[in-house]
Amino acid sequence: MALSPVVLGVESSCDETGFGIVSEGKLLGQGLASSASKHAEFGGVVPEIAARAHLDAVVPTLQIALQDAGVEPKDITHVAATSGPGLATAVHVGLAAAKSIAWALDVPLYGVHHLAGHAAADTLEHGPLPEHSIILIVSGGHTSILEVRDLVRDPIVHLGDTLDDAAGEAFDKVSRLLGLGYPGGPAISKAALEGDREAFRFPRAMLRAGDHPYTFSFSGVKTAVARTVEQIERTGAAVPVADIAASFEEAVVDVLVTKAVKACQEKKLSTLVMVGGVAANRHLRKKAQEQCDKLGIELRVPPPSLCTDNGAMIAAVGDLLVRSGAEPSGLGIAADPSAVLHGAQLPVPA
Ligand code: KG4
Ligand code: ZN
């Protein structure tokens, strides 16, 4: 009988340096370092600062993952790394580390699409994905409704994407506007707890009859918040931060849940998988659960710590690729910072 694969996953596409170790769908251990606090004063991720932080963090974070998993480097049978999309300089650091590890251990290397990692994160908590499902990806850089069959074997079908800002990006920008800092999602979510979700009626874009059912647009809601803040400031009144945060969160969640649930109904699919950093949002999780319960849809959402970027999710894709018999990408794999999600493994340049 063949030995079980022990796959090391490497993630460095934004401000998290992550290593995870997965074997046959089980997470053995992981290490995670974040440079988020170093970007706070800029209101968003500064690529050069992120890349330097990855360089500092790679070896200690790998050591933490190995220790957490109780695994020696020699036990690793395969390496998988995010090769895109992401901040180019940030992806380069993790990919170079992954190449060095794969070369030193003489094991195969797989270049993985970061967003496939977000989807695979759910398998670590809830087991294999169903044969056919709708996946809502909501992260800092992407917002998409996907129709997915076998995550690593089949092409991934985009039912709709965002025309402009991603949902997480909207959270980050509105947070900056309200002086709540970076990352914006958790900050808005916390402020919203004290606010009235109906205090302001912010626009729900792309929900009118005739609009594309699965396409998103979040720049309008961000602009509406900016106008509201400006108008209130002009009067000299205090900006009701909690009410604005709560009403903004309500508007975004409303659109995400409405469209994702509609996709399940129209495609007659009974499972919705919600992944990516914004899927950590408590209000989104609650509203999605309520709608799915009403309509008999099974909702799968990873625990919040597996929604935001981490190495375990990349190891999970690697593990699925290895077990499906995929060809390794090899040490020639290049970073593709703007890779579109068509499949879990990124093609090797000719
Ligand atoms: O998936 P992720 O960790 O990185 C990307 O691939 O982009 O997502 C990061 C995004 C950020 O925009 C952050 O503000 C958002 O996820 N986020 C949240 C929450 N936690 C993180 N948004 C809303 N509510 C949260 N609790
Ligand atoms: Zn991500």
Side-chain angles (χ1 to χ4, degrees), residues 11 13 114-115 118 139 276-277 307-309 313:
E11 159 59 31
S13 65
H114 176 80
L115 298 177
H118 277 301
S139 73
C307 287
T308 44
D309 290 349
M313 68 188 206

Side-chain angles (χ1 to χ4, degrees), residues 327-343:
E327 277 293 307
S329 311
L331 295 176
I333 184 91
D336 184 353
S338 50
V340 177
L341 180 61
H342 296 304

Side-chain angles (χ1 to χ4, degrees), residues 11 13-16 85 114-115 118 137-142 166-173 175 182-190 249 275-284 304 307-310 313:
E11 159 59 31
S13 65
C14 192
D15 54 353
E16 260 92 33
H114 176 80
L115 298 177
H118 277 301
I137 293 198
V138 270
S139 73
H142 298 84
E169 193 178 353
F171 271 94
D172 294 334
K173 288 176 175 170
S175 179
Y182 175 85
I188 296 255
S189 187
K190 189 162 169 239
E249 190 174 56
V275 299
V278 181
N281 183 277
R282 268 206 267 171
H283 190 55
L284 174 60
C307 287
T308 44
D309 290 349
N310 63 81
M313 68 188 206

Side-chain angles (χ1 to χ4, degrees), residues 257 261 265 287-298:
V257 173
V261 163
Q265 288 183 300
K287 285 286 182 176
Q289 192 65 60
E290 282 170 13
Q291 273 305 310
C292 286
D293 286 349
K294 243 188 242 167
L295 299 166
I297 297 167
E298 182 203 13

Side-chain angles (χ1 to χ4, degrees), residues 19-299:
F19 287 88
I21 301 168
V22 168
S23 180
E24 299 197 315
K26 299 272 171 297
L27 175 59
L28 303 183
Q30 62 171 323
L32 189 67
S34 174
S35 61
S37 62
K38 298 189 174 127
H39 308 288
E41 65 176 293
F42 304 100
V45 178
V46 182
E48 193 56 35
I49 294 177
R52 282 168 184 249
H54 286 310
L55 199 53
D56 284 342
V58 273
V59 172
T61 311
L62 170 60
Q63 284 169 330
I64 290 168
L66 290 167
Q67 220 169 32
D68 189 40
V71 158
E72 302 275 333
K74 66 172 173 41
D75 301 328
I76 292 166
T77 60
H78 304 79
V79 179
T82 295
S83 51
L87 305 168
T89 51
V91 174
H92 284 146
V93 178
L95 190 55
K99 285 189 183 193
S100 311
I101 297 164
W103 180 74
L105 297 175
D106 194 20
V107 299
L109 175 69
Y110 296 79
V112 163
H113 197 291
H114 176 80
L115 298 177
H118 277 301
D122 187 65
T123 65
L124 298 174
E125 185 70 14
H126 300 119
L129 292 171
E131 277 176 18
H132 198 176
S133 60
I134 294 293
I135 301 191
L136 171 68
I137 293 198
V138 270
S139 73
H142 298 84
T143 301
S144 303
I145 296 182
L146 310 170
E147 185 179 347
V148 175
R149 291 176 189 268
D150 186 308
L151 182 65
V152 298
R153 284 195 171 96
D154 295 320
I156 293 168
V157 178
H158 287 242
L159 298 179
D161 302 281
T162 179
L163 295 172
D164 39 56
D165 293 352
E169 193 178 353
F171 271 94
D172 294 334
K173 288 176 175 170
V174 165
S175 179
R176 199 181 331 169
L177 266 167
L178 296 176
L180 295 173
Y182 175 85
I188 296 255
S189 187
K190 189 162 169 239
L193 290 176
E194 312 288 319
D196 174 3
R197 300 194 181 279
E198 283 163 20
F200 299 88
R201 175 81 192 171
F202 291 125
R204 274 82 164 147
M206 302 298 295
L207 280 187
R208 278 174 309 214
D211 286 340
H212 189 281
Y214 311 125
T215 296
F216 298 98
S217 166
F218 292 109
S219 71
V221 64
K222 169 199 69 187
T223 309
V225 172
R227 294 283 164 276
T228 303
V229 170
E230 274 166 28
Q231 277 165 9
I232 296 171
E233 279 174 344
R234 234 178 281 134
T235 67
V239 174
V241 170
D243 285 348
I244 293 179
S247 303
F248 162 77
E249 190 174 56
E250 181 69 24
V252 172
V253 165
D254 191 6
V255 176
L256 291 174
V257 173
T258 304
K259 286 183 179 264
V261 163
K262 189 177 206 158
C264 292
Q265 288 183 300
E266 288 191 355
K267 297 286 170 187
K268 300 197 174 17
L269 292 173
S270 60
T271 307
L272 171 63
V273 189
M274 213 167 66
V275 299
V278 181
N281 183 277
R282 268 206 267 171
H283 190 55
L284 174 60
R285 296 167 83 99
K286 181 168 162 268
K287 285 286 182 176
Q289 192 65 60
E290 282 170 13
Q291 273 305 310
C292 286
D293 286 349
K294 243 188 242 167
L295 299 166
I297 297 167
E298 182 203 13
L299 177 68

